[in-house]
């Protein structure tokens, strides 16, 4: 149980053993990296004789690229882009996959009281972090009503005559835009893990940017027979190549959302990519939010959610979700833990 291991703060110990061991066995771990969904993805697996690693690497890369082609707002012909051209009160048939991901996103909107809202994009598109552009107050206020997850309606209908199931989406406001940047990478990581599990892989890691999921452990210590955990670093929010924390983990997912990923500085203000839906502006108070739990898609959406909610509400939310924990670094550099991880 990774959480339990963390809870007892055997962290340094485990890290040390793991580092020693990983240098020892490294030759048998294979890694495949590629760029997808605007980030670097990585697949690592134990090259066992029964595992066709090359085929698996290809299958995962292909699947992640397929998900990008469906869910990217930057690809004009993606399903998401088609949805974003939909006028008010017009229904559009969507894939069951899109339906499932949007439905999950709406679930996270409900439990976070709108802190997680994929319609943030209705104002999100007004920002260009590379060009250091942000909307004027007036333009922002004009667009803000379009940020409203309650105006997204999904329906699942059974067409009696054709005997086929249809999944549809409809917006009750004009000009709404959706963006799945806070959930799709986690979904893609989960799909990668499913491919590995179906192939019988028992030890592996899949990551895409700040979203990681692990199957099994990094191996076993031959002498003691003890399981060696993976050691996953949480980036230091202000020192580029440094890590703020290192966590020994097995069989779990972990996502980190940070204000250092896409941003520019405007005077004293850091304008970054995680938007508080109620204001249409960058969320303040937290610099890094990490969520640990079973599914990568959940961790992904929850890390973005916690970032928007702030330390107190974020921790409170995570404490109500069984099997999930959070580590937050606030803007004073203080580290906060949810109940399952709190040092005793
Ligand atoms: P993450 O990469 O998980 O840290 O999430 C950040 C990404 O989520 C951003 O780049 C946006 O695409 C998206 N996003 C930003 N703000 C929100 C929000 N309030 N709700 C849902 N998604 C968001
Ligand atoms: Mg996230």
């Amino acid at each position: 149980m990774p959480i339990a291991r963390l809870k007892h703060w055997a962290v340094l110990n485990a890290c040390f053993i793991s580092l020693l061991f990983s240098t020892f066995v490294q030759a048998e771990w294979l890694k495949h990296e590629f760029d997808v969904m605007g980030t670097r993805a990585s697949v690592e697996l134990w090259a066992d004789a029964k595992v066709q690693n090359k085929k698996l690497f290809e299958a995962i890369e292909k699947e992640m690229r397929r998900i990008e082609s469906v869910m990217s707002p930057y690809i004009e012909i993606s399903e998401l882009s088609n949805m974003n051209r939909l006028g008010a009160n017009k229904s559009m048939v969507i894939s069951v996959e899109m339906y499932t991901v949007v439905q999950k996103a709406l679930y996270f909107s409900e439990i976070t009281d709108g802190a997680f809202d994929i319609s943030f994009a209705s104002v999100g598109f007004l920002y260009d972090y590379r060009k250091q552009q942000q909307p004027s107050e007036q333009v922002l206020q004009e667009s803000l009503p379009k940020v409203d997850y309650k105006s997204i309606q999904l329906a699942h209908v059974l067409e009696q005559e054709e005997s086929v199931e249809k999944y549809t989406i409809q917006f009750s406001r004009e000009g709404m835009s959706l963006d799945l940047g806070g959930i799709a990478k986690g979904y893609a990581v989960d799909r990668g893990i499913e491919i590995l599990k179906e192939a019988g892989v028992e030890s592996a890691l899949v990551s895409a940017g700040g979203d990681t999921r692990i199957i099994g452990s990094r191996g076993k210590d031959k002498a003691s027979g003890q399981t060696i955990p993976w050691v996953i670093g949480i980036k230091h929010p202000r020192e580029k190549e440094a890590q703020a924390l290192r966590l020994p983990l097995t069989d779990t997912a972990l996502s980190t959302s940070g204000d250092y990923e896409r941003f520019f500085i405007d005077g004293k203000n850091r304008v970054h990519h995680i938007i508080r839906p109620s204001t249409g502006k960058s969320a303040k108070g937290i610099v890094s939010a990490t969520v640990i739990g079973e599914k990568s898609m959940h961790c992904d959406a929850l890390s973005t959610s916690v970032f928007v909610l702030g330390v107190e509400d974020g921790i409170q939310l995570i404490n109500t979700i069984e099997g999930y924990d959070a580590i937050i670094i606030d803007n004073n550099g203080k580290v906060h833990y949810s109940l399952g991880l709190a040092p005793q």
Side-chain angles (χ1 to χ4, degrees):
M1 187 60 194
I3 303 293
R5 195 170 287 123
L6 274 168
K7 201 170 170 181
H8 298 296
W9 291 107
V11 179
L12 284 176
N13 234 348
C15 287
F16 184 60
I17 299 168
S18 171
L19 280 175
L20 278 181
F21 192 73
S22 60
T23 46
F24 182 57
V25 295
Q26 223 159 26
E28 290 162 283
W29 281 96
L30 294 179
K31 188 172 185 173
H32 177 60
E33 288 187 293
F34 51 97
D35 290 320
V36 72
M37 303 173 104
T39 193
R40 192 85 178 144
S42 170
V43 182
E44 283 181 73
L45 57 81
W46 182 252
D48 184 291
K50 55 182 195 297
V51 172
Q52 292 198 300
N53 48 66
K54 194 161 175 276
K55 276 200 175 148
L56 280 173
F57 285 154
E58 280 169 9
I60 294 169
E61 181 173 339
K62 198 171 158 205
E63 176 64 354
M64 286 189 163
R65 293 200 187 287
R66 185 194 65 75
I67 294 169
E68 178 180 34
S69 74
V70 172
M71 301 189 182
S72 169
Y74 307 109
I75 299 174
E76 267 212 28
I77 55 164
S78 73
E79 189 173 7
L80 184 78
S81 295
N82 284 336
M83 283 157 53
N84 283 345
R85 287 189 281 266
L86 198 60
N89 302 316
K90 294 202 173 82
S91 167
M92 175 182 159
V93 174
I94 55 173
S95 62
V96 59
E97 180 177 47
M98 180 62 82
Y99 178 90
T100 311
V101 173
V102 173
Q103 190 182 44
K104 255 288 163 311
L106 294 179
Y107 163 76
F108 287 110
S109 298
E110 287 290 340
I111 67 165
T112 60
D113 205 12
F116 188 84
D117 188 338
I118 53 174
S119 72
F120 87 91
S122 310
V123 299
F125 84 94
L126 298 168
Y127 291 86
D128 188 323
Y129 302 98
R130 256 185 235 154
K131 293 188 183 151
Q132 309 211 345
Q133 283 170 357
Q134 55 184 318
S136 68
E137 196 59 40
Q138 192 196 337
V139 171
L140 190 62
Q141 293 313 321
E142 279 165 14
S143 295
L144 208 50
K146 292 183 272 183
V147 180
D148 176 22
Y149 71 93
K150 291 184 178 151
S151 297
I152 305 168
Q153 278 102 37
L154 291 174
H156 173 198
V157 283
L158 182 66
E159 296 273 322
Q160 295 288 5
E161 282 164 27
E162 301 160 52
S163 186
V164 286
E165 290 182 272
K166 274 192 182 160
Y167 299 86
T168 63
I169 193 163
Q170 185 168 322
F171 304 136
S172 53
R173 283 176 196 268
E174 198 63 54
M176 283 183 78
S177 285
L178 308 185
D179 180 299
L180 299 170
I183 193 165
K185 284 198 288 319
Y187 170 69
V189 167
D190 281 338
R191 283 291 307 129
I193 289 287
E194 276 166 34
I195 290 171
L196 291 169
K197 283 192 168 175
E198 277 160 22
V201 173
E202 289 171 359
S203 294
L205 176 148
V206 179
S207 73
D211 304 298
T212 302
R213 186 166 163 189
I214 298 159
I215 311 177
S217 67
R218 190 88 169 117
K220 268 202 172 142
D221 183 288
K222 280 178 189 149
S224 68
Q226 267 194 340
T227 302
I228 311 293
W230 287 85
V231 179
I232 309 294
I234 297 179
K235 276 190 189 169
H236 193 292
R238 294 293 176 264
E239 287 171 35
K240 232 179 171 193
E241 301 303 322
Q243 292 179 339
L245 289 162
R246 288 165 66 72
L247 309 171
L249 300 168
T250 52
D251 249 326
T252 196
L254 167 144
S255 291
T256 299
S257 294
D259 68 357
Y260 47 84
E261 290 291 349
R262 278 195 285 145
F263 72 97
F264 63 91
I265 304 289
D266 174 33
K268 284 189 173 167
N269 194 22
R270 178 180 285 253
V271 183
H272 64 83
H273 67 140
I274 304 178
I275 305 286
R276 184 183 298 281
S278 57
T279 61
K281 295 180 180 169
S282 305
K284 302 280 169 229
I286 289 181
V287 294
S288 162
T290 296
V291 172
I292 305 169
E294 188 196 345
K295 291 224 165 110
S296 192
M297 175 155 75
H298 294 52
C299 289
D300 190 5
L302 285 170
S303 66
T304 312
S305 303
V306 167
F307 198 104
V308 175
L309 285 169
V311 176
E312 210 173 300
D313 291 350
I315 293 279
Q316 209 172 9
L317 169 76
I318 297 297
N319 284 343
T320 65
I321 307 176
E322 213 189 318
Y324 286 79
D325 268 292
I327 302 172
I328 300 174
I329 307 176
D330 70 20
N331 52 7
N332 295 315
K334 189 167 180 232
V335 185
H336 305 260
Y337 301 92
S338 62
L339 277 179
L341 298 178
Q344 286 159 3

